[in-house]
Short mmCIF file of all heavy atoms in Angstrom, two decimals:
data_model
loop_
_atom_site.label_atom_id
_atom_site.label_comp_id
_atom_site.label_asym_id
_atom_site.label_seq_id
_atom_site.Cartn_x
_atom_site.Cartn_y
_atom_site.Cartn_z
N MET A 803 -13.47 -10.26 -31.00
CA MET A 803 -14.83 -10.31 -30.52
C MET A 803 -15.42 -8.90 -30.60
O MET A 803 -14.85 -7.95 -30.13
CB MET A 803 -14.82 -10.80 -29.07
CG MET A 803 -16.18 -10.91 -28.47
SD MET A 803 -16.02 -11.63 -26.81
CE MET A 803 -17.52 -11.08 -26.13
N THR A 804 -16.57 -8.81 -31.19
CA THR A 804 -17.24 -7.51 -31.29
C THR A 804 -18.37 -7.45 -30.28
O THR A 804 -19.00 -8.45 -29.96
CB THR A 804 -17.80 -7.28 -32.70
OG1 THR A 804 -18.57 -8.40 -33.08
CG2 THR A 804 -16.70 -7.05 -33.69
N ARG A 805 -18.60 -6.25 -29.79
CA ARG A 805 -19.67 -6.04 -28.81
C ARG A 805 -20.80 -5.29 -29.49
O ARG A 805 -20.59 -4.44 -30.34
CB ARG A 805 -19.16 -5.23 -27.63
CG ARG A 805 -18.05 -5.91 -26.87
CD ARG A 805 -17.65 -5.06 -25.68
NE ARG A 805 -17.29 -3.71 -26.06
CZ ARG A 805 -16.11 -3.16 -25.85
NH1 ARG A 805 -15.17 -3.84 -25.27
NH2 ARG A 805 -15.87 -1.92 -26.20
N ALA A 806 -22.01 -5.56 -29.06
CA ALA A 806 -23.17 -4.87 -29.60
C ALA A 806 -23.48 -3.60 -28.81
O ALA A 806 -24.43 -2.90 -29.10
CB ALA A 806 -24.38 -5.79 -29.58
N TYR A 807 -22.65 -3.30 -27.80
CA TYR A 807 -22.87 -2.13 -26.97
C TYR A 807 -21.53 -1.44 -26.69
O TYR A 807 -20.48 -2.05 -26.83
CB TYR A 807 -23.51 -2.53 -25.64
CG TYR A 807 -22.68 -3.52 -24.85
CD1 TYR A 807 -21.74 -3.07 -23.91
CD2 TYR A 807 -22.79 -4.88 -25.07
CE1 TYR A 807 -20.95 -3.96 -23.22
CE2 TYR A 807 -22.00 -5.78 -24.37
CZ TYR A 807 -21.09 -5.32 -23.44
OH TYR A 807 -20.31 -6.19 -22.75
N LYS A 808 -21.59 -0.20 -26.28
CA LYS A 808 -20.36 0.54 -25.96
C LYS A 808 -20.01 0.31 -24.49
O LYS A 808 -20.88 0.28 -23.64
CB LYS A 808 -20.53 2.02 -26.22
CG LYS A 808 -20.67 2.35 -27.69
CD LYS A 808 -20.52 3.84 -27.89
CE LYS A 808 -20.60 4.16 -29.35
NZ LYS A 808 -19.35 4.55 -29.91
N ASP A 809 -18.72 0.15 -24.23
CA ASP A 809 -18.23 -0.01 -22.86
C ASP A 809 -17.07 0.96 -22.69
O ASP A 809 -15.92 0.61 -22.89
CB ASP A 809 -17.79 -1.45 -22.62
CG ASP A 809 -17.43 -1.71 -21.17
OD1 ASP A 809 -17.33 -0.76 -20.39
OD2 ASP A 809 -17.24 -2.89 -20.83
N PRO A 810 -17.37 2.21 -22.32
CA PRO A 810 -16.33 3.23 -22.25
C PRO A 810 -15.23 2.91 -21.24
O PRO A 810 -14.07 3.25 -21.44
CB PRO A 810 -17.07 4.51 -21.88
CG PRO A 810 -18.42 4.10 -21.43
CD PRO A 810 -18.68 2.75 -21.98
N THR A 811 -15.56 2.24 -20.15
CA THR A 811 -14.55 1.90 -19.14
C THR A 811 -13.53 0.93 -19.72
O THR A 811 -12.32 1.13 -19.59
CB THR A 811 -15.22 1.28 -17.89
OG1 THR A 811 -16.18 2.20 -17.38
CG2 THR A 811 -14.19 0.98 -16.82
N ALA A 812 -14.01 -0.11 -20.37
CA ALA A 812 -13.11 -1.09 -20.98
C ALA A 812 -12.33 -0.46 -22.13
O ALA A 812 -11.13 -0.71 -22.27
CB ALA A 812 -13.90 -2.29 -21.49
N ASP A 813 -12.99 0.37 -22.91
CA ASP A 813 -12.30 1.03 -24.03
C ASP A 813 -11.17 1.92 -23.52
O ASP A 813 -10.08 1.96 -24.10
CB ASP A 813 -13.28 1.86 -24.86
CG ASP A 813 -14.27 1.00 -25.63
OD1 ASP A 813 -14.00 -0.21 -25.80
OD2 ASP A 813 -15.31 1.54 -26.06
N GLU A 814 -11.40 2.62 -22.41
CA GLU A 814 -10.37 3.49 -21.84
C GLU A 814 -9.20 2.66 -21.32
O GLU A 814 -8.04 3.01 -21.54
CB GLU A 814 -10.96 4.32 -20.71
CG GLU A 814 -9.97 5.29 -20.09
CD GLU A 814 -10.57 6.11 -18.97
OE1 GLU A 814 -11.81 6.17 -18.84
OE2 GLU A 814 -9.78 6.69 -18.21
N ALA A 815 -9.50 1.56 -20.65
CA ALA A 815 -8.45 0.69 -20.11
C ALA A 815 -7.59 0.10 -21.22
O ALA A 815 -6.36 0.11 -21.14
CB ALA A 815 -9.06 -0.42 -19.27
N VAL A 816 -8.23 -0.38 -22.26
CA VAL A 816 -7.49 -0.95 -23.39
C VAL A 816 -6.66 0.12 -24.08
O VAL A 816 -5.52 -0.11 -24.46
CB VAL A 816 -8.46 -1.64 -24.38
CG1 VAL A 816 -7.74 -2.03 -25.67
CG2 VAL A 816 -9.09 -2.87 -23.74
N GLY A 817 -7.20 1.31 -24.20
CA GLY A 817 -6.47 2.42 -24.82
C GLY A 817 -5.22 2.77 -24.04
O GLY A 817 -4.16 3.01 -24.62
N LYS A 818 -5.32 2.80 -22.71
CA LYS A 818 -4.16 3.10 -21.87
C LYS A 818 -3.08 2.03 -22.01
O LYS A 818 -1.89 2.33 -22.09
CB LYS A 818 -4.57 3.23 -20.41
CG LYS A 818 -5.29 4.51 -20.09
CD LYS A 818 -5.63 4.62 -18.62
CE LYS A 818 -6.35 5.91 -18.32
NZ LYS A 818 -6.70 6.04 -16.90
N ILE A 819 -3.50 0.77 -22.04
CA ILE A 819 -2.53 -0.33 -22.18
C ILE A 819 -1.84 -0.24 -23.54
O ILE A 819 -0.62 -0.39 -23.63
CB ILE A 819 -3.23 -1.70 -22.01
CG1 ILE A 819 -3.65 -1.87 -20.55
CG2 ILE A 819 -2.32 -2.83 -22.45
CD1 ILE A 819 -4.53 -3.06 -20.29
N CYS A 820 -2.58 0.01 -24.59
CA CYS A 820 -1.99 0.12 -25.93
C CYS A 820 -1.01 1.28 -26.00
O CYS A 820 0.07 1.16 -26.59
CB CYS A 820 -3.08 0.29 -26.98
SG CYS A 820 -4.07 -1.19 -27.24
N LYS A 821 -1.35 2.40 -25.37
CA LYS A 821 -0.47 3.56 -25.37
C LYS A 821 0.82 3.25 -24.61
O LYS A 821 1.92 3.58 -25.07
CB LYS A 821 -1.18 4.75 -24.72
CG LYS A 821 -0.40 6.04 -24.75
CD LYS A 821 -1.20 7.18 -24.16
CE LYS A 821 -0.40 8.46 -24.15
NZ LYS A 821 -1.13 9.55 -23.52
N GLU A 822 0.70 2.57 -23.47
CA GLU A 822 1.86 2.21 -22.68
C GLU A 822 2.76 1.23 -23.44
O GLU A 822 3.98 1.36 -23.43
CB GLU A 822 1.41 1.59 -21.36
CG GLU A 822 2.50 1.44 -20.33
CD GLU A 822 1.96 1.03 -18.97
OE1 GLU A 822 1.15 1.77 -18.39
OE2 GLU A 822 2.36 -0.05 -18.52
N GLU A 823 2.15 0.26 -24.11
CA GLU A 823 2.92 -0.71 -24.90
C GLU A 823 3.64 -0.03 -26.05
O GLU A 823 4.77 -0.38 -26.38
CB GLU A 823 2.02 -1.83 -25.41
CG GLU A 823 1.59 -2.79 -24.33
CD GLU A 823 0.63 -3.85 -24.83
OE1 GLU A 823 0.18 -3.78 -25.99
OE2 GLU A 823 0.32 -4.76 -24.04
N SER A 824 3.01 0.97 -26.66
CA SER A 824 3.64 1.71 -27.75
C SER A 824 4.87 2.47 -27.25
O SER A 824 5.91 2.50 -27.90
CB SER A 824 2.66 2.69 -28.38
OG SER A 824 1.62 2.01 -29.01
N ARG A 825 4.75 3.08 -26.06
CA ARG A 825 5.89 3.79 -25.46
C ARG A 825 7.02 2.81 -25.19
O ARG A 825 8.18 3.10 -25.45
CB ARG A 825 5.47 4.44 -24.14
CG ARG A 825 4.66 5.69 -24.30
CD ARG A 825 4.25 6.31 -22.96
NE ARG A 825 5.35 6.41 -22.01
CZ ARG A 825 5.32 5.93 -20.76
NH1 ARG A 825 4.26 5.31 -20.31
NH2 ARG A 825 6.35 6.08 -19.97
N LEU A 826 6.68 1.63 -24.66
CA LEU A 826 7.69 0.62 -24.35
C LEU A 826 8.40 0.16 -25.63
O LEU A 826 9.64 0.08 -25.66
CB LEU A 826 7.04 -0.57 -23.65
CG LEU A 826 7.97 -1.72 -23.29
CD1 LEU A 826 9.02 -1.27 -22.28
CD2 LEU A 826 7.18 -2.89 -22.74
N GLU A 827 7.65 -0.11 -26.67
CA GLU A 827 8.25 -0.53 -27.93
C GLU A 827 9.18 0.54 -28.50
O GLU A 827 10.25 0.23 -29.02
CB GLU A 827 7.16 -0.88 -28.95
CG GLU A 827 6.42 -2.15 -28.62
CD GLU A 827 5.23 -2.41 -29.53
OE1 GLU A 827 5.07 -1.68 -30.54
OE2 GLU A 827 4.47 -3.34 -29.24
N LEU A 828 8.80 1.81 -28.37
CA LEU A 828 9.63 2.90 -28.84
C LEU A 828 10.94 2.96 -28.06
O LEU A 828 12.02 3.08 -28.65
CB LEU A 828 8.88 4.23 -28.73
CG LEU A 828 9.68 5.48 -29.11
CD1 LEU A 828 10.10 5.43 -30.57
CD2 LEU A 828 8.86 6.73 -28.82
N VAL A 829 10.86 2.85 -26.74
CA VAL A 829 12.06 2.90 -25.90
C VAL A 829 12.99 1.74 -26.24
O VAL A 829 14.21 1.93 -26.39
CB VAL A 829 11.69 2.89 -24.40
CG1 VAL A 829 12.91 2.66 -23.53
CG2 VAL A 829 11.01 4.19 -24.02
N ILE A 830 12.46 0.55 -26.40
CA ILE A 830 13.28 -0.62 -26.73
C ILE A 830 13.94 -0.42 -28.09
O ILE A 830 15.13 -0.72 -28.26
CB ILE A 830 12.44 -1.91 -26.68
CG1 ILE A 830 12.07 -2.21 -25.23
CG2 ILE A 830 13.20 -3.08 -27.30
CD1 ILE A 830 11.09 -3.34 -25.05
N SER A 831 13.21 0.10 -29.06
CA SER A 831 13.79 0.35 -30.39
C SER A 831 14.94 1.35 -30.31
O SER A 831 15.98 1.18 -30.95
CB SER A 831 12.73 0.89 -31.35
OG SER A 831 11.73 -0.06 -31.56
N ILE A 832 14.75 2.40 -29.51
CA ILE A 832 15.81 3.41 -29.35
C ILE A 832 17.04 2.81 -28.70
O ILE A 832 18.18 3.05 -29.13
CB ILE A 832 15.28 4.63 -28.55
CG1 ILE A 832 14.24 5.39 -29.39
CG2 ILE A 832 16.42 5.55 -28.12
CD1 ILE A 832 13.46 6.43 -28.62
N ILE A 833 16.84 2.00 -27.65
CA ILE A 833 17.97 1.36 -26.97
C ILE A 833 18.74 0.47 -27.94
O ILE A 833 19.98 0.51 -27.99
CB ILE A 833 17.49 0.55 -25.75
CG1 ILE A 833 16.99 1.49 -24.65
CG2 ILE A 833 18.59 -0.35 -25.21
CD1 ILE A 833 16.25 0.80 -23.52
N LYS A 834 18.02 -0.32 -28.72
CA LYS A 834 18.68 -1.20 -29.70
C LYS A 834 19.45 -0.40 -30.74
O LYS A 834 20.57 -0.77 -31.11
CB LYS A 834 17.64 -2.10 -30.39
CG LYS A 834 17.11 -3.19 -29.49
CD LYS A 834 16.08 -4.03 -30.25
CE LYS A 834 15.54 -5.17 -29.42
NZ LYS A 834 14.56 -5.98 -30.14
N LEU A 835 18.87 0.70 -31.21
CA LEU A 835 19.54 1.53 -32.21
C LEU A 835 20.80 2.16 -31.65
O LEU A 835 21.85 2.17 -32.31
CB LEU A 835 18.59 2.61 -32.72
CG LEU A 835 19.16 3.57 -33.77
CD1 LEU A 835 19.60 2.81 -35.01
CD2 LEU A 835 18.13 4.62 -34.13
N VAL A 836 20.72 2.68 -30.43
CA VAL A 836 21.90 3.29 -29.80
C VAL A 836 23.00 2.26 -29.64
O VAL A 836 24.18 2.56 -29.92
CB VAL A 836 21.52 3.95 -28.45
CG1 VAL A 836 22.75 4.34 -27.66
CG2 VAL A 836 20.62 5.14 -28.66
N CYS A 837 22.66 1.07 -29.22
CA CYS A 837 23.66 0.01 -29.08
C CYS A 837 24.30 -0.31 -30.43
O CYS A 837 25.53 -0.44 -30.53
CB CYS A 837 23.04 -1.25 -28.48
SG CYS A 837 22.63 -1.08 -26.73
N LYS A 838 23.48 -0.43 -31.45
CA LYS A 838 23.99 -0.73 -32.78
C LYS A 838 24.91 0.37 -33.29
O LYS A 838 25.99 0.10 -33.82
CB LYS A 838 22.81 -0.93 -33.75
CG LYS A 838 23.22 -1.36 -35.13
CD LYS A 838 22.00 -1.61 -36.00
CE LYS A 838 22.39 -2.05 -37.38
NZ LYS A 838 21.22 -2.33 -38.23
N LEU A 839 24.51 1.61 -33.10
CA LEU A 839 25.33 2.74 -33.55
C LEU A 839 26.65 2.81 -32.79
O LEU A 839 27.67 3.24 -33.34
CB LEU A 839 24.57 4.06 -33.39
CG LEU A 839 23.40 4.28 -34.34
CD1 LEU A 839 22.61 5.52 -33.93
CD2 LEU A 839 23.88 4.40 -35.77
N GLY A 840 26.64 2.39 -31.52
CA GLY A 840 27.85 2.42 -30.71
C GLY A 840 28.72 1.19 -30.88
O GLY A 840 29.78 1.09 -30.26
N GLY A 841 28.27 0.25 -31.69
CA GLY A 841 29.05 -0.96 -31.93
C GLY A 841 28.87 -2.02 -30.85
O GLY A 841 29.73 -2.86 -30.65
N PHE A 842 27.74 -1.97 -30.15
CA PHE A 842 27.45 -2.94 -29.11
C PHE A 842 26.24 -3.77 -29.50
O PHE A 842 25.49 -3.41 -30.40
CB PHE A 842 27.16 -2.24 -27.78
CG PHE A 842 28.35 -1.55 -27.19
CD1 PHE A 842 28.62 -0.23 -27.50
CD2 PHE A 842 29.22 -2.23 -26.35
CE1 PHE A 842 29.71 0.42 -26.96
CE2 PHE A 842 30.32 -1.59 -25.81
CZ PHE A 842 30.57 -0.26 -26.11
N LYS A 843 26.06 -4.88 -28.78
CA LYS A 843 24.84 -5.66 -28.93
C LYS A 843 24.36 -6.05 -27.54
O LYS A 843 25.15 -6.19 -26.61
CB LYS A 843 25.05 -6.90 -29.80
CG LYS A 843 25.93 -7.96 -29.21
CD LYS A 843 26.01 -9.15 -30.14
CE LYS A 843 26.88 -10.25 -29.54
NZ LYS A 843 26.90 -11.43 -30.39
N ILE A 844 23.08 -6.19 -27.40
CA ILE A 844 22.47 -6.56 -26.13
C ILE A 844 22.56 -8.08 -26.02
O ILE A 844 22.12 -8.80 -26.92
CB ILE A 844 21.01 -6.08 -26.07
CG1 ILE A 844 20.96 -4.55 -26.19
CG2 ILE A 844 20.34 -6.55 -24.79
CD1 ILE A 844 19.57 -4.00 -26.36
N ILE A 845 23.11 -8.56 -24.90
CA ILE A 845 23.28 -10.01 -24.76
C ILE A 845 22.39 -10.60 -23.66
O ILE A 845 22.28 -11.81 -23.55
CB ILE A 845 24.75 -10.39 -24.49
CG1 ILE A 845 25.28 -9.69 -23.26
CG2 ILE A 845 25.61 -10.06 -25.69
CD1 ILE A 845 26.66 -10.17 -22.83
N GLN A 846 21.77 -9.74 -22.87
CA GLN A 846 20.83 -10.21 -21.86
C GLN A 846 19.59 -9.33 -21.88
O GLN A 846 19.60 -8.24 -22.45
CB GLN A 846 21.45 -10.18 -20.46
CG GLN A 846 22.51 -11.22 -20.25
CD GLN A 846 22.98 -11.23 -18.78
OE1 GLN A 846 22.64 -10.35 -18.00
NE2 GLN A 846 23.76 -12.23 -18.44
N ARG A 847 18.58 -9.82 -21.20
CA ARG A 847 17.33 -9.05 -21.12
C ARG A 847 17.56 -7.75 -20.35
O ARG A 847 18.38 -7.69 -19.45
CB ARG A 847 16.26 -9.86 -20.42
CG ARG A 847 15.86 -11.11 -21.21
CD ARG A 847 14.78 -11.88 -20.51
NE ARG A 847 13.54 -11.14 -20.40
CZ ARG A 847 12.54 -11.19 -21.26
NH1 ARG A 847 12.65 -11.93 -22.33
NH2 ARG A 847 11.44 -10.50 -21.06
N ILE A 848 16.83 -6.74 -20.71
CA ILE A 848 16.89 -5.45 -20.04
C ILE A 848 15.61 -5.29 -19.23
O ILE A 848 14.51 -5.51 -19.75
CB ILE A 848 17.01 -4.29 -21.06
CG1 ILE A 848 18.30 -4.42 -21.85
CG2 ILE A 848 16.93 -2.95 -20.36
CD1 ILE A 848 18.40 -3.43 -22.99
N SER A 849 15.74 -4.92 -17.97
CA SER A 849 14.58 -4.65 -17.12
C SER A 849 14.31 -3.16 -17.12
O SER A 849 15.22 -2.36 -16.94
CB SER A 849 14.84 -5.13 -15.69
OG SER A 849 15.00 -6.52 -15.66
N LEU A 850 13.04 -2.81 -17.31
CA LEU A 850 12.63 -1.41 -17.31
C LEU A 850 11.49 -1.22 -16.32
O LEU A 850 10.71 -2.14 -16.08
CB LEU A 850 12.17 -0.98 -18.70
CG LEU A 850 13.18 -1.10 -19.83
CD1 LEU A 850 12.50 -0.85 -21.17
CD2 LEU A 850 14.31 -0.14 -19.62
N GLU A 851 11.41 -0.01 -15.74
CA GLU A 851 10.30 0.33 -14.86
C GLU A 851 9.73 1.67 -15.29
O GLU A 851 10.48 2.63 -15.47
CB GLU A 851 10.77 0.42 -13.40
CG GLU A 851 9.65 0.73 -12.44
CD GLU A 851 10.09 0.76 -11.00
OE1 GLU A 851 11.15 0.23 -10.68
OE2 GLU A 851 9.34 1.34 -10.19
N ASP A 852 8.43 1.72 -15.48
CA ASP A 852 7.75 2.95 -15.87
C ASP A 852 7.70 3.86 -14.64
O ASP A 852 7.18 3.48 -13.60
CB ASP A 852 6.34 2.64 -16.35
CG ASP A 852 5.64 3.83 -16.96
OD1 ASP A 852 5.94 4.96 -16.54
OD2 ASP A 852 4.79 3.63 -17.83
N LYS A 853 8.26 5.06 -14.76
CA LYS A 853 8.30 5.99 -13.62
C LYS A 853 6.89 6.42 -13.20
O LYS A 853 6.65 6.65 -12.02
CB LYS A 853 9.13 7.23 -13.96
CG LYS A 853 10.60 6.98 -13.99
CD LYS A 853 11.32 8.29 -14.23
CE LYS A 853 12.81 8.16 -14.12
NZ LYS A 853 13.46 9.46 -14.30
N LYS A 854 5.97 6.55 -14.16
CA LYS A 854 4.62 7.01 -13.84
C LYS A 854 3.80 5.92 -13.15
O LYS A 854 3.23 6.15 -12.10
CB LYS A 854 3.89 7.43 -15.11
CG LYS A 854 4.32 8.76 -15.67
CD LYS A 854 3.34 9.20 -16.73
CE LYS A 854 4.07 9.41 -18.04
NZ LYS A 854 3.17 9.71 -19.14
N SER A 855 3.76 4.75 -13.75
CA SER A 855 2.87 3.70 -13.25
C SER A 855 3.56 2.77 -12.25
O SER A 855 2.88 2.07 -11.50
CB SER A 855 2.33 2.87 -14.41
OG SER A 855 3.36 2.10 -15.00
N GLY A 856 4.89 2.73 -12.29
CA GLY A 856 5.62 1.81 -11.41
C GLY A 856 5.66 0.40 -11.96
O GLY A 856 6.21 -0.50 -11.34
N ARG A 857 5.06 0.18 -13.12
CA ARG A 857 5.02 -1.16 -13.72
C ARG A 857 6.41 -1.55 -14.20
O ARG A 857 7.14 -0.75 -14.77
CB ARG A 857 4.05 -1.16 -14.89
CG ARG A 857 3.86 -2.52 -15.49
CD ARG A 857 2.76 -2.52 -16.51
NE ARG A 857 2.65 -3.84 -17.09
CZ ARG A 857 1.85 -4.15 -18.07
NH1 ARG A 857 1.06 -3.23 -18.59
NH2 ARG A 857 1.81 -5.36 -18.55
N ARG A 858 6.79 -2.80 -13.92
CA ARG A 858 8.10 -3.31 -14.30
C ARG A 858 7.97 -4.23 -15.52
O ARG A 858 7.01 -4.96 -15.65
CB ARG A 858 8.71 -4.09 -13.16
CG ARG A 858 9.06 -3.20 -11.98
CD ARG A 858 9.72 -4.01 -10.92
NE ARG A 858 10.92 -4.61 -11.52
CZ ARG A 858 12.13 -4.55 -11.00
NH1 ARG A 858 12.31 -3.94 -9.86
NH2 ARG A 858 13.15 -5.12 -11.59
N TYR A 859 8.96 -4.12 -16.38
CA TYR A 859 9.03 -4.97 -17.57
C TYR A 859 10.36 -5.72 -17.49
O TYR A 859 11.42 -5.14 -17.64
CB TYR A 859 8.99 -4.11 -18.85
CG TYR A 859 7.71 -3.32 -18.97
CD1 TYR A 859 7.62 -2.02 -18.48
CD2 TYR A 859 6.59 -3.89 -19.56
CE1 TYR A 859 6.45 -1.29 -18.58
CE2 TYR A 859 5.41 -3.16 -19.66
CZ TYR A 859 5.34 -1.88 -19.18
OH TYR A 859 4.19 -1.16 -19.28
N ASP A 860 10.28 -7.01 -17.22
CA ASP A 860 11.48 -7.84 -17.09
C ASP A 860 11.62 -8.78 -18.25
O ASP A 860 10.71 -9.25 -18.82
CB ASP A 860 11.44 -8.63 -15.79
CG ASP A 860 11.47 -7.71 -14.57
OD1 ASP A 860 12.27 -6.78 -14.56
OD2 ASP A 860 10.69 -7.96 -13.65
#
């Protein structure tokens, strides 16, 4: 959906969420790579909590 006007508040919120999701994806990729290099595999979900925001990812 495109807007005909600028909404800096919404743009900032979406930008923060995208940045946080990118950090999460990077951390998950690193964890998977370390497990693979060590000869392990993840068999259950991993729960993470962002130290800055307190947001939990289960």
Side-chain angles (χ1 to χ4, degrees):
M803 181 176 159
T804 51
R805 298 183 305 240
Y807 59 91
K808 292 193 178 251
D809 187 349
T811 303
D813 291 342
E814 182 180 344
V816 170
K818 285 182 180 180
I819 290 171
C820 290
K821 184 177 178 183
E822 193 171 299
E823 287 177 353
S824 294
R825 284 180 47 233
L826 179 63
E827 289 173 9
L828 176 62
V829 169
I830 291 172
S831 296
I832 291 169
I833 291 169
K834 287 180 178 181
L835 179 60
V836 169
C837 288
K838 185 176 180 179
L839 290 171
F842 293 90
K843 68 178 181 176
I844 299 171
I845 57 172
Q846 289 186 350
R847 295 181 64 93
I848 298 172
S849 296
L850 300 171
E851 181 177 342
D852 189 330
K853 286 184 174 183
K854 285 191 238 175
S855 69
R857 185 172 178 185
R858 293 183 59 130
Y859 299 92
D860 297 315

